[in-house]
Amino acid sequence: MESKLEALFNSIENSKEYKEYLKIKNILDKDEEIKEQIEEIKELEKQATYLEYIGDEKYKEIDLEIMKKTDILNNKPVYQEYLNKMNELNDELAISSNMIEKYIEEKV
């Protein structure tokens, strides 16, 4: 069982999707502007969540700001490519997860 899981992980690590994802992720990691935008969005999301939790309606204004910043980020080609590669990898992982579930169900 362990060797089969190791083979599966090796297969994923050697897959085209994983390698392409790592490549674009490394490019994205070097883009300070995009990294800064992502951090700003994360901070705004924290603020909005807290304000909504305590019943402060200002969270709606912050949600609008988040939407604007997200739209700007989503219009950057390198970020779009990153999202596409991430989705492709997630699809591959979902297939692998499904295979593991089926294998376990067959053995149990």
Side-chain angles (χ1 to χ4, degrees), residues 15-91:
S15 72
K16 175 184 149 208
E17 292 82 5
Y18 183 72
K19 289 178 181 180
E20 288 177 352
Y21 167 78
L22 286 180
K23 182 179 175 183
I24 192 66
K25 184 182 179 305
N26 288 334
I27 292 169
L28 197 66
D29 284 345
K30 294 175 185 172
D31 190 320
E32 292 301 321
E33 181 183 342
I34 289 177
K35 284 173 46 176
E36 192 173 300
Q37 283 180 299
I38 291 169
E39 286 304 314
E40 286 176 14
I41 291 169
K42 286 179 182 179
E43 282 301 314
L44 289 170
E45 288 172 337
K46 288 178 190 175
Q47 290 174 18
T49 300
Y50 175 73
L51 291 173
E52 185 176 12
Y53 176 75
I54 64 171
D56 190 329
E57 294 290 313
K58 289 183 183 179
Y59 80 89
K60 293 178 183 178
E61 295 172 25
I62 294 176
D63 282 346
L64 289 174
E65 189 175 344
I66 291 169
M67 286 175 51
K68 289 177 188 175
K69 289 184 178 288
T70 301
D71 285 344
I72 292 169
L73 186 60
N74 286 333
N75 285 318
K76 295 186 180 289
V78 69
Y79 190 72
Q80 288 175 351
E81 187 175 352
Y82 167 76
L83 292 177
N84 289 335
K85 298 302 178 190
M86 185 176 63
N87 287 332
E88 289 174 9
L89 179 60
N90 284 336
D91 290 345

Side-chain angles (χ1 to χ4, degrees), residues 82-104:
Y82 167 76
L83 292 177
N84 289 335
K85 298 302 178 190
M86 185 176 63
N87 287 332
E88 289 174 9
L89 179 60
N90 284 336
D91 290 345
E92 185 77 19
L93 294 174
I95 291 168
S96 298
S97 177
N98 190 19
M99 289 172 55
I100 292 170
E101 285 179 36
K102 285 182 180 179
Y103 177 81
I104 292 172

